[in-house]
Amino acid sequence: MNNLRSNLPALENKFYFNYGGQGPLPKASLDSITASWVKIQQLGPFTNDVWPFISNEIQETKLLIARLCGVSTKRIALTENVTTGCILPLLGIPFLEGERILISNCEHPGVVSACKELAKQKKLCIDIFDVQSLSGGIEKAENTTAEVIKSLELSLTPKTRLVVLSHLLWNTGEIMPIELIASFLGKYKDPPFLLVDAAQSFGQIPIGSAASKADIYAFTGHKWAFGPEGLGATIVSERILEQSNPTLVGWKSLKNEGSIYSDNTNPYHSDGRKFEIATSCTPLLSGLRCSLELLEKEGTDYQRIEKIQSLSKELWVELRKIHPIKLVLQSPPQTGLLSFSVKSNMSHNQIVRALGKKSTWIRVLEDPTWLRACVHITTTREEIKELTKRLKEISKE
């Protein structure tokens, strides 16, 4: 494998375990972004010469995402982040008053708050189904899959119009069986839409089957994919393209800007562009592609998740030896996310600050109130030993 770590200057002066919040940007990706800025200025930021360059940057990025996600470029909308990737198609779904949204109890506040606001505006009802209690880890992954399907089945009603579930839970780190859930929902006469928050899965685990089966599969490049912040994408299904209308509209959404004053009842693109809005930062496209290409040089997605699992197991085993620490998962993680609590005179926020003073970075989760450490393919065993050592010291205070 290539040494991606040597291309990450942000890791030179710290012990970093916050990949689930934001991954470091490779120097090559930063250079690629800068080169794109220079190219645009050379061509002229608003000239006939620059548009073919910008168009090609968009197309090349969509082609790469399409290959990684196993879908056509028609189904891809470029967005700023996961939240916009979720809500832009979501807000256009034709809900009827009294219909229901079913949300897992492990979703990110950004998506939950959007669903609650939508429910208020459209007079919908929200139901919650449990996945947070499923904490078996890698040794009980099959049981977790069965329990998710069971919990979902018990929670669905004839009026459930939308199911919201992350591919990889941002708090427990458990993987949800999105492909099986999509097949399960597809058996219903009028299947609910399936919205998947893929913030923690893109760049970390194989996603092709899940991305192609969900109705909305939204992700960002700035976490596990080592890309720049401000750029993500959402994969939408054919029925979302057919049934969901854009609610935040700009010139990118339109088939023809020149005919906007006509009586055209459907002025929008028929592909993923209908959920794109207006001017965005073109140089980020080059940066994301560079990061994804560097990631692929580190091995296949299956090889990479095997390495991540090996490292997260090592951390899980070491933390288990520290008595004041209570791990969320009963067996080693399926992924690089590892949550835990510490019985200490210090609050979790104080623990994070104390670690930060020693250049060691983890984070606090608000609900549930846990600590979370993330390992990636660029994590070293020395870092794991250092984090374990410092947590052991803190737990005695």
Side-chain angles (χ1 to χ4, degrees):
M1 288 190 178
N2 291 280
N3 190 5
L4 174 59
R5 187 181 174 93
S6 65
N7 204 351
L8 298 170
L11 300 186
E12 293 175 1
N13 59 353
K14 61 184 67 66
F15 303 100
Y16 194 72
F17 295 90
N18 275 335
Y19 295 94
Q22 184 161 333
L25 186 68
K27 184 179 183 303
S29 300
L30 179 58
D31 291 343
S32 182
I33 293 170
T34 303
S36 182
W37 279 116
V38 171
K39 180 71 173 179
I40 289 170
Q41 296 307 308
Q42 288 174 341
L43 294 171
F46 202 94
T47 65
N48 287 342
D49 292 337
V50 81
W51 305 129
F53 173 76
I54 292 176
S55 178
N56 185 68
E57 287 292 283
I58 292 170
Q59 185 63 15
E60 287 297 312
T61 305
K62 286 190 175 182
L63 284 169
L64 178 54
I65 291 172
R67 177 170 62 80
L68 294 174
C69 295
V71 299
S72 69
T73 56
K74 175 184 177 182
R75 293 177 55 185
I76 299 172
L78 296 176
T79 61
E80 291 181 342
N81 46 54
V82 178
T83 301
T84 55
C86 287
I87 66 175
L88 292 178
L90 164 66
L91 296 178
I93 294 175
F95 289 98
L96 299 176
E97 183 177 332
E99 289 185 324
R100 311 186 78 88
I101 300 175
L102 181 59
I103 308 175
S104 95
N105 60 351
C106 276
E107 298 311 303
H108 191 276
V111 177
V112 176
S113 59
C115 287
K116 292 179 73 173
E117 181 62 25
L118 177 64
K120 183 170 66 175
Q121 293 179 9
K122 300 285 188 178
K123 297 183 180 179
L124 310 174
C125 300
I126 290 182
D127 301 310
I128 309 296
F129 73 106
D130 175 50
V131 294
Q132 189 181 115
S133 64
L134 306 176
S135 55
I138 198 167
E139 293 176 4
K140 298 183 179 180
E142 290 186 8
N143 290 343
T144 296
T145 294
E147 289 298 320
V148 171
I149 298 295
K150 180 181 177 181
S151 180
L152 183 63
E153 186 173 17
L154 291 172
S155 303
L156 286 167
T157 77
K159 288 195 172 185
T160 303
R161 182 66 167 157
L162 172 73
V163 175
V164 179
L165 179 65
S166 294
H167 192 177
L168 199 169
L169 303 182
W170 74 301
N171 34 34
T172 69
E174 294 279 65
I175 297 175
M176 297 292 99
I178 299 301
E179 185 177 8
L180 288 178
I181 290 171
S183 298
F184 174 76
L185 295 177
K187 295 176 182 178
Y188 285 77
K189 183 179 179 181
D190 187 16
F193 290 97
L194 175 59
L195 184 156
V196 178
D197 180 333
Q200 302 299 332
S201 52
F202 184 71
Q204 183 179 187
I205 65 175
I207 63 170
S209 59
S212 62
K213 296 295 190 297
D215 289 295
I216 301 171
Y217 191 89
F219 54 84
T220 180
H222 77 265
K223 296 180 185 284
W224 298 88
F226 298 102
E229 63 268 36
L231 177 61
T234 187
I235 311 299
V236 292
S237 67
E238 291 290 344
R239 66 174 180 156
I240 285 289
L241 289 175
E242 293 169 2
Q243 298 181 37
S244 177
N245 287 316
T247 47
L248 297 178
V249 177
W251 62 266
K252 275 190 177 180
S253 317
L254 304 173
K255 287 183 288 188
N256 187 347
E257 294 178 62
S259 62
I260 194 60
Y261 284 101
S262 70
D263 294 329
N264 185 358
T265 58
N266 183 22
Y268 309 118
H269 285 294
S270 59
D271 57 21
R273 290 174 293 175
K274 71 190 292 185
F275 301 113
E276 297 176 354
I277 303 172
T279 303
S280 53
C281 186
T282 298
L284 299 182
L285 299 170
S286 177
L288 178 59
R289 290 200 312 276
C290 182
S291 292
L292 292 173
E293 289 162 3
L294 288 171
L295 199 56
E296 286 193 297
K297 290 179 181 179
E298 295 292 311
T300 67
D301 47 6
Y302 290 98
Q303 289 173 328
R304 297 196 304 268
I305 189 58
E306 284 181 3
K307 182 176 181 181
I308 290 170
Q309 288 171 345
S310 174
L311 291 165
S312 61
K313 178 179 180 179
E314 187 171 328
L315 178 57
W316 184 89
V317 168
E318 291 303 314
L319 293 184
R320 197 181 186 194
K321 297 175 184 177
I322 305 173
H323 179 68
I325 289 181
K326 183 179 180 181
L327 293 158
V328 169
L329 296 178
Q330 300 167 36
S331 69
Q334 299 181 64
T335 67
L337 277 75
L338 199 160
S339 294
F340 56 97
S341 58
V342 181
K343 188 176 180 180
S344 169
N345 293 326
M346 302 171 66
S347 70
H348 284 169
N349 280 306
Q350 288 173 327
I351 289 173
V352 168
R353 287 195 291 269
L355 289 171
K357 289 179 180 178
K358 298 181 179 180
S359 298
T360 303
W361 296 100
I362 63 174
R363 68 161 293 179
V364 177
L365 302 180
E366 300 298 335
D367 184 19
T369 307
W370 293 332
L371 294 170
R372 189 186 74 184
C374 299
V375 301
H376 207 337
I377 57 172
T378 47
T379 303
T380 66
R381 287 182 165 81
E382 289 70 27
E383 284 181 304
I384 290 173
K385 290 177 181 177
E386 193 66 30
L387 175 60
T388 303
K389 172 188 171 185
R390 291 178 179 178
L391 282 169
K392 189 180 295 184
E393 292 170 351
I394 286 173
S395 67
K396 294 177 181 178
E397 295 180 5

